[in-house]
Amino acid sequence: HDALPIWGWIERGDAMPQLPRWVAQDRSGSVWAPEVVARSDGSYLLYFTAHAGAPFNVQCIGVDLGSVPQGPFRAVGDHPLVCHPEDIDSIDPDMFTDSDGSQYLLYSSGRGTATIWAQKMSRDGLTPVGGRRALIRADRPEESNIVEAPMLVKHGGKYVLFFSGNA
């Protein structure tokens, strides 16, 4: 269909017309929190949160590949990129590229006490490298056990982590 302007935006259609096989088919409406990242080869990655089917049955983070930033994106692999059922849900992916080219996927997980994690990624952005590292935990009363929506920037040689705490 033709593009429709919506509040200054133009609708371009579904960026993920076909969901990856690991996404629970009865939960297709729960694909959210997209992050589009340009790769050095001219392609684009779409990181997203979705409810995974069995054996996971929690929110996980996936990655799809596309040739243009608006999609369509196609699944990369048959499994979520990040999924830790012991943490309950993994949500809100954000890719950070350091000045040396190293890439890190930040995300939030956990119920009861949420944690924001950094996971080093391969140069192509498709494969976790080593273990993840906790950056912060929801440990302040005003956070009500919630820290989420991380975004990391480097400014003046220092790293600054933005995030939401509480509702």
Side-chain angles (χ1 to χ4, degrees):
H1 69 290
D2 291 344
L4 305 172
I6 301 173
W7 301 296
W9 292 82
I10 296 175
E11 184 178 331
R12 298 289 185 190
D14 192 343
M16 286 176 55
Q18 185 168 0
L19 295 176
R21 290 180 22 192
W22 60 266
V23 175
Q25 297 307 305
D26 61 334
R27 301 301 263 307
S28 61
S30 66
V31 176
W32 53 288
E35 165 88 357
V36 176
V37 177
R39 294 186 351 157
S40 60
D41 67 0
S43 64
Y44 294 84
L45 295 175
L46 170 68
Y47 296 95
F48 60 94
T49 301
H51 192 93
F56 304 109
N57 296 316
V58 294
Q59 297 281 352
C60 300
I61 295 171
V63 61
D64 282 9
L65 181 65
S67 58
V68 292
Q70 65 269 22
F73 290 88
R74 60 180 166 71
V76 177
D78 292 331
H79 301 285
L81 178 65
V82 173
C83 199
H84 296 279
E86 69 276 11
D87 292 343
I88 308 298
D89 292 330
S90 296
I91 63 169
D92 297 341
D94 180 68
M95 181 60 79
F96 170 74
T97 303
D98 208 341
S99 50
D100 67 357
S102 297
Q103 296 186 95
Y104 299 87
L105 182 66
L106 279 68
Y107 64 94
S108 175
S109 69
R111 286 202 188 141
T113 303
T115 301
I116 292 179
W117 300 93
Q119 172 65 62
K120 187 169 182 155
M121 299 295 293
S122 59
R123 291 269 182 193
D124 65 5
L126 297 172
T127 308
V129 175
R132 62 187 180 159
R133 180 176 179 189
L135 298 182
I136 62 167
R137 295 190 198 296
D139 59 0
R140 296 167 34 174
E142 63 271 18
E143 292 168 339
S144 294
N145 299 318
I146 300 170
V147 289
E148 60 187 9
M151 184 172 137
L152 187 64
V153 297
K154 193 171 184 179
H155 178 72
K158 295 184 179 184
Y159 299 93
V160 181
L161 177 65
F162 294 91
F163 65 95
S164 294
N166 202 331

